[in-house]
Amino acid sequence: MSRNHAFPPSAGDFLLASKRCEITVLQQLLQMGQLVGRVSRLIHVLQRERGTVNIYLCSQGALFGECLAGRAKEVEQAELAVQRQLMQLDDSTAPLASASRLFSRIACALHNITGLPALRRQVQQRQILQPVAMGIFNEVIHSLLALVFEAADACAEPTTARALIAMFSFMQGKELAGQERAIGAAGFASMHFDESAHQRLLVLIEGQDRCFATFSEFADEPSLAQWRRMQQQDDREFERLRRIACTQWQLSNKADTSLRWFEITSARIDLMKQIEDRLEEALMVSCRHNLTQAQRAMAEDCAVYAPPPMRESYAVFVAAPLGDASPLVGDGIQPRLGRSMLELIQQQSQRLHALSEELATARATLSERKQIERAKALLIQHRGLTEAAAHRLLLKMAMNQNQRLIDIANAMLAVADILPSSGNTP
């Protein structure tokens, strides 16, 4: 807090310090919003590269080989944009809230990205199986989404938190749509879907519905309207192919079905990217608006509270004879400014309280996701399940018991200490 240390601190000093802290946080949120936008672009081009690699491997190298280098170049350019933004974040003089967790997520994402060149060499030479390659891409994208989640979880401003939650939820739903595209393309290419593929597709579809429901709860109206328009488009062919993928085992020999599925789902994902871009725009508008408002309020408060350069004493001033309507005015504040200072303090306190309540409501959604992820981690640890299998088990338990997924997760976490480990499972 910047003040004249020749005098004791005043209420005005701390009021202005509160406003400065708020502005610092909003400046940091603006940086985070810019980072999320760069990450959004990187995830999208990674999804495009994953789709191209998927078709290339499924076709035994017959299709999309000429596109591999271009897709890799797009990812590399998006990586550079993220790295430039990270350099600005790292050079920030004021550390972000929850910086330790955020920087840990960034480290994980950057580490995973370093494995992409080796993966591309294996793909080019067809020395890697399609499921393994898809798993590596999925892990890279998952680590980037975790970074966005951490940004939303650390956000201390409710309107920006809502924008971040909407964007994260939509990005996650879009990623699940990308995984559905990959599994469907592989199944149509091989003309066969086994039970595992059916189950994974159903989990991905349910996950998309859940993510887009959360997005709809937190999104701004223009983004939501754009999403509704997309849903109203004719997607009968997509739904028909999706039903085939989810229900049939052996398919008739139609060589172009895999490419048609890829084309339809890619067009759908590209439309989602347009909505994602709109969400990014809404996020940045929110960040800039809140920062401008805070800076304007700070300037107005500085104009109201302008302590004289030299104060001879800190005696209590009385603006008028004592009475119900005559407050005491002190703390080195000029008598005519006493009421204004009290009003400013009350307004700041009330506003921060309202922001805290609104933020708590927004964070409840993120808290539920954390609990579900923790329950999945328990199942993975104690039963040796994959993440997809753990999620399917949670869904099955929720349906069988007619309870919400979060209720099942909470119940499981409550008895975590008595769950058997995978080594003790018969």
Side-chain angles (χ1 to χ4, degrees):
M1 182 176 66
S2 176
R3 66 179 184 84
N4 188 344
H5 290 277
F7 301 98
S10 69
D13 290 329
F14 281 96
L15 177 62
L16 295 181
S18 171
K19 294 297 183 76
R20 291 190 193 98
C21 288
E22 187 177 352
I23 289 173
T24 298
V25 168
L26 292 172
Q27 289 170 334
Q28 294 167 350
L29 287 179
L30 180 60
Q31 283 189 331
M32 284 307 306
Q34 292 167 340
L35 176 61
V36 167
R38 304 296 188 275
V39 170
S40 167
R41 170 63 182 169
L42 176 55
I43 288 176
H44 184 66
V45 293
L46 275 168
Q47 289 167 337
R48 294 181 67 182
E49 183 179 17
R50 178 181 60 190
T52 300
V53 167
N54 185 53
I55 293 294
Y56 176 76
L57 293 177
C58 287
S59 67
Q60 305 299 315
L63 298 172
F64 288 7
E66 71 282 1
C67 301
L68 293 176
R71 293 288 186 251
K73 186 67 174 177
E74 289 176 346
V75 172
E76 290 168 357
Q77 291 173 346
E79 283 179 42
L80 289 175
V82 170
Q83 290 168 2
R84 284 193 292 268
Q85 192 63 44
L86 287 175
M87 289 174 64
Q88 295 181 26
L89 181 66
D90 189 50
D91 289 339
S92 175
T93 55
L96 290 163
S98 305
S100 177
R101 294 199 311 270
L102 176 66
F103 291 162
S104 177
R105 296 292 192 186
I106 292 172
C108 180
L110 292 178
H111 173 74
N112 288 338
I113 287 172
T114 60
L116 289 176
L119 171 62
R120 292 178 183 125
R121 288 192 294 271
Q122 290 179 299
V123 168
Q124 188 71 51
Q125 298 168 11
R126 291 169 50 203
Q127 294 178 341
I128 188 170
L129 296 175
Q130 180 266 352
V132 177
M134 295 303 99
I136 295 173
F137 274 112
N138 293 350
E139 183 61 29
V140 174
I141 294 172
H142 181 271
S143 64
L144 289 167
L145 282 171
L147 191 163
V148 178
F149 174 83
E150 201 61 56
D153 193 39
C155 181
E157 201 288 316
T159 57
T160 305
R162 290 183 64 87
L164 278 167
I165 292 171
M167 188 167 181
F168 166 75
S169 300
F170 196 85
M171 290 172 69
Q172 189 179 36
K174 175 169 162 280
E175 164 56 12
L176 298 180
Q179 293 183 29
E180 180 187 7
R181 173 179 64 181
I183 294 173
F188 283 119
S190 65
M191 310 306 295
H192 174 74
F193 288 94
D194 58 18
E195 180 62 25
S196 174
H198 287 160
Q199 289 297 322
R200 282 183 290 158
L201 286 170
L202 291 174
V203 168
L204 290 171
I205 293 169
E206 187 277 336
Q208 289 174 65
D209 291 342
R210 185 159 37 86
C211 290
F212 293 137
T214 303
F215 150 77
S216 299
E217 180 182 353
F218 288 92
D220 62 294
E221 189 54 40
S223 299
L224 196 54
Q226 192 172 350
W227 170 244
R228 289 169 181 154
R229 287 193 297 271
M230 176 183 164
Q231 290 180 304
Q232 291 169 358
Q233 293 183 5
D234 185 1
D235 59 354
R236 284 174 293 182
E237 187 176 9
F238 166 70
E239 292 295 342
R240 180 181 66 83
L241 292 176
R242 178 186 257 185
R243 282 194 299 272
I244 291 173
C246 290
T247 60
Q248 296 189 21
W249 296 72
Q250 204 67 34
L251 309 181
S252 59
N253 187 21
K254 291 185 178 180
D256 62 342
T257 305
S258 180
L259 284 178
R260 183 57 184 156
W261 166 262
F262 182 80
E263 178 184 330
I264 293 172
T265 51
S266 295
R268 182 170 177 261
I269 290 171
D270 286 342
L271 287 176
M272 290 182 187
K273 183 63 173 80
Q274 295 178 18
I275 298 173
E276 192 173 294
D277 290 343
R278 175 66 189 80
L279 288 167
E280 179 191 348
E281 179 184 348
L283 171 63
M284 297 310 299
V285 167
S286 173
C287 290
R288 293 191 177 101
H289 172 76
N290 291 330
L291 179 58
T292 300
Q293 291 290 96
Q295 290 171 333
R296 183 179 295 119
M298 176 75 173
E300 292 173 354
D301 290 350
C302 285
V304 171
Y305 173 63
M310 294 296 294
R311 292 180 282 190
E312 296 182 357
S313 71
Y314 276 78
V316 174
F317 296 98
V318 180
L322 290 176
D324 292 340
S326 303
L328 287 176
V329 184
D331 209 13
I333 305 170
Q334 300 176 37
R336 62 187 177 83
L337 298 180
R339 183 182 297 275
S340 296
M341 176 56 66
L342 291 174
E343 289 174 351
L344 287 173
I345 294 172
Q346 290 171 352
Q347 289 170 5
Q348 177 75 346
S349 177
Q350 292 169 358
R351 194 176 64 82
L352 292 177
H353 179 71
L355 290 178
S356 296
E357 290 187 340
E358 188 178 350
L359 184 61
T361 301
R363 281 185 169 168
T365 298
L366 297 178
S367 178
E368 287 191 4
R369 181 183 183 276
K370 283 183 178 180
Q371 292 294 88
I372 293 171
E373 291 299 316
R374 288 179 60 199
K376 285 164 57 176
L378 275 177
L379 290 173
I380 293 170
Q381 176 185 355
H382 291 279
R383 295 201 180 184
L385 301 178
T386 64
E387 182 178 1
H391 189 71
R392 287 197 299 271
L393 180 56
L394 286 174
L395 286 175
K396 183 178 179 181
M397 293 169 66
M399 288 187 292
N400 290 344
Q401 300 180 35
N402 195 27
Q403 293 189 26
R404 297 183 306 157
L405 192 60
I406 182 60
D407 295 330
I408 296 297
N410 286 335
M412 184 168 295
L413 292 171
V415 296
D417 292 339
I418 63 174
L419 286 176
S421 65
S422 57
N424 297 329
T425 302

